[in-house]
Amino acid sequence: MEQLLKLFTPVKDLFVDNWMMLIMWLIGGTLIFLAIKYEMEPTLLLPIGFGTIIMNFPIVEGHVSEALGTLYNAGIANELFPLILFIGIGAMIDFGPLLSNPKLMIFGAAAQFGIFFTLCTASLFFPMKDAASIAIIGAADGPTSIMVAQTLESGYIGAITVAAYSYMALVPIIQPPIIKLLTTKKERLIRMTYKPAQVSKLTKVLFPITITLIACIFAPAASSLLGFLMFGNLIRECGVLESLSETAQKVLANLITIFLGITIAYNMTASQFLNPATLLILGLGLVAFVIDTAGGVLFAKLYNLFAKEKVNPMIGAAGISAFPMSGRIVHKMALKEDPQNFLLMHSIGVNVSGQIASVIAGSLILGFFAG
Amino acid sequence: MLGYEDIIFKNTLFSADSAEGSGTNTETGDVGSDKTYEEITDERLDKIEEQLGIGKENDAPAPEENTESSIGWYPDQFGEAAGSMGVGMLGVFLIVGIIMGATYAINAIISRISNRKKDAE
């Protein structure tokens, strides 16, 4: 009997003495479940979930952390993975709807209000650099969140990344109630005519180059992120690099996503994740998304007070950088109210402008608090 | 099999400049300094490791070392954050406005060039 008990002692030591490990397994398993069952951002949540499980296994911890540490140094500590991923994202984006109606950009800018509102709120509870890193969850953009948190040397990069990607996946649940709360039925029924102005190839080629130059002059901290995003877009739009464009959109983006997901788990250890700060970060991340949505919608309503040609205020909510989900949600909501109201081109235009504006907001945050 | 420490120890033991000062006494380490051979060898080993770049700490701190920040109550920071909010939103609108203006300019210039081409034809 004693020998039998001795046999189970290491197992008891493993589970009883490392109960926090079990909680992290549960968290990792939950992320995997959400990714597979509900298809919530599976490209990131599944690798993060799996990485969380293996990073929190004491017997193999050293081996795993060494491997992930190497990847972490190679791609996240030097911000390389987010930048390369942005090449792929840039190659996926079609700026045509935005270029045919450039004034939509201001709604993308307005929807970044949640970042700065969350900065004010988080600054009450966290040191400034951590507060800024948490606020950037509101950018609704994984690479930007990772890059800002890493540059500011936040100790909560794991929680911030999980929050950012989780809420991006929850945009279909978070946004509609806020949009309905802030708009009237009459406002939701406003039709926006789409005049498909012919956007020339030259315009589509000059646009990424121009934005990069503007970013280098006015927001140097954004030059790397915006530069890589626009490089990817230029590969797509130049028309002579079809194979590179396809590679960037598919192979490159998928490859980096695999490494990014599992490497983020390097920070998903029990000691880092299981503390009251994580809950607060998840709460503040939700605040950021809510205020982003509200900011965009309210700005669109303000715009309507002065504009001759009214806009449907719902498109303001599409300024959140969750591309293309946010744009599609607004379009679907409009169709639900009026089956003849097609807002897709407008909402997607605002959505892509939100992508640019979120990077600019991130760069300003870095400009204020880095160094 | 000798480890590298042993090889280096033996090399330093028998090298001409294995100790501070002049003269050597390989038994007592009495070579014009108060240091024992272990201390001297440790110093030599440290120097060699430094030159070879081995024994350096990993670039990324171990995950457990990252938890320097902590929750607290920082009301003094609110003013700075509010100021950053104002400047930040202004900055976002300003830069987006510049991009928007540049886009309109590009559209106008290209439209004018294509119209001129059509007129010329």
Side-chain angles (χ1 to χ4, degrees), chain A residues 35-86:
Chain A
I36 296 174
K37 177 82 176 170
Y38 296 104
E39 293 183 40
M40 277 177 59
E41 284 290 327
T43 49
L44 264 301
L45 290 191
L46 193 141
I48 292 174
F50 187 79
T52 301
I53 292 171
I54 57 173
M55 267 299 290
N56 288 281
F57 207 99
I59 294 171
V60 300
E61 185 188 353
H63 304 287
V64 172
S65 65
E66 203 175 305
L68 292 185
T70 304
L71 276 175
Y72 191 90
N73 288 333
I76 295 191
N78 56 7
E79 294 116 34
L80 184 64
F81 284 169
L83 290 174
I84 297 178
L85 185 58
F86 251 28

Side-chain angles (χ1 to χ4, degrees), chain A residues 163-174:
Chain A
Y165 281 107
S166 299
Y167 289 131
M168 278 163 61
L170 287 172
V171 157
I173 299 171
I174 295 171

Side-chain angles (χ1 to χ4, degrees), chain A residues 277-362:
Chain A
T278 302
L279 274 177
L280 192 52
I281 289 168
L282 292 173
L284 288 168
L286 183 60
V287 165
F289 270 67
V290 167
I291 301 297
D292 272 345
T293 305
V297 170
L298 291 173
F299 184 82
K301 289 173 69 136
L302 181 67
Y303 175 89
N304 280 347
L305 292 176
F306 304 102
K308 281 184 189 172
E309 202 175 322
K310 310 282 181 206
V311 298
N312 190 313
M314 292 198 290
I315 64 167
I320 203 166
S321 180
F323 176 80
M325 212 179 324
S326 194
R328 286 193 194 141
I329 288 163
V330 169
H331 171 63
K332 279 185 185 171
M333 284 185 72
L335 282 179
K336 215 172 171 182
E337 301 283 346
D338 176 7
Q340 298 301 316
N341 193 2
F342 298 99
L343 288 185
L344 188 65
M345 287 295 124
H346 305 282
S347 60
I348 290 293
V350 175
N351 208 187
V352 298
S353 77
Q355 181 77 65
I356 297 170
S358 66
V359 173
I360 292 170

Side-chain angles (χ1 to χ4, degrees), chain B residues 20-101:
Chain B
E20 304 293 332
S22 58
T24 55
N25 183 329
T26 58
E27 291 298 318
T28 64
D30 183 15
V31 291
S33 78
D34 296 328
K35 295 179 186 175
T36 64
Y37 262 98
E38 283 75 17
E39 286 167 353
I40 293 166
T41 310
D42 283 341
E43 279 180 26
R44 292 289 297 224
L45 280 172
D46 287 339
K47 276 186 193 168
I48 290 164
E49 282 179 354
E50 196 183 320
Q51 284 164 8
L52 292 174
I54 55 178
K56 275 187 180 177
E57 287 179 7
N58 198 330
D59 288 339
E64 289 75 18
E65 296 173 22
N66 283 344
T67 51
E68 289 179 9
S69 312
S70 59
I71 301 178
W73 182 242
Y74 305 93
D76 297 339
Q77 291 181 152
F78 187 79
E80 186 187 349
S84 301
M85 178 168 81
V87 174
M89 280 310 296
L90 200 65
V92 170
F93 273 107
L94 191 66
I95 295 169
V96 167
I98 292 169
I99 293 171
M100 197 167 75

Side-chain angles (χ1 to χ4, degrees), chain A residues 61 73 99 102-103 105 116 120 123-126 128 130 155-156 200 203 207 210 266-267 272 277 360 364 368-369, chain B residues 58 60-61 63-64 66 69-74 77-78 81 84-85 88-89 95-96 100 103-104 106-107 110:
Chain A
E61 185 188 353
N73 288 333
L99 293 173
K103 75 170 182 286
M105 285 188 206
F116 298 98
C120 288
S123 69
L124 293 171
F125 305 105
F126 291 93
M128 212 56 182
D130 285 324
Y156 301 108
S200 67
T203 304
F207 182 71
T210 308
Y266 183 67
N267 287 292
Q272 279 190 292
I360 292 170
L364 290 171
F368 293 153
F369 303 112
Chain B
N58 198 330
E64 289 75 18
N66 283 344
S69 312
S70 59
I71 301 178
W73 182 242
Y74 305 93
Q77 291 181 152
F78 187 79
S84 301
M85 178 168 81
M89 280 310 296
I95 295 169
V96 167
M100 197 167 75
T103 308
Y104 275 119
I106 292 170
N107 281 342
I110 290 170

Side-chain angles (χ1 to χ4, degrees), chain A residues 164-225:
Chain A
Y165 281 107
S166 299
Y167 289 131
M168 278 163 61
L170 287 172
V171 157
I173 299 171
I174 295 171
Q175 286 203 307
I178 299 162
I179 295 171
K180 281 190 176 164
L181 193 67
L182 295 173
T183 54
T184 62
K185 177 93 178 169
K186 191 178 168 187
E187 285 172 331
R188 291 196 292 272
L189 288 171
I190 293 174
R191 285 194 185 185
M192 292 177 70
T193 53
Y194 177 60
K195 297 162 197 168
Q198 188 67 26
V199 180
S200 67
K201 181 180 166 181
L202 184 58
T203 304
K204 287 189 176 183
V205 167
L206 287 176
F207 182 71
I209 298 170
T210 308
I211 286 199
T212 307
L213 290 174
I214 291 172
C216 289
I217 294 168
F218 295 101
S223 55
S224 56
L225 272 173

Side-chain angles (χ1 to χ4, degrees), chain A residues 107-119:
Chain A
F107 300 109
Q112 308 313 312
F113 179 67
I115 296 172
F116 298 98
F117 181 89
T118 307
L119 172 66

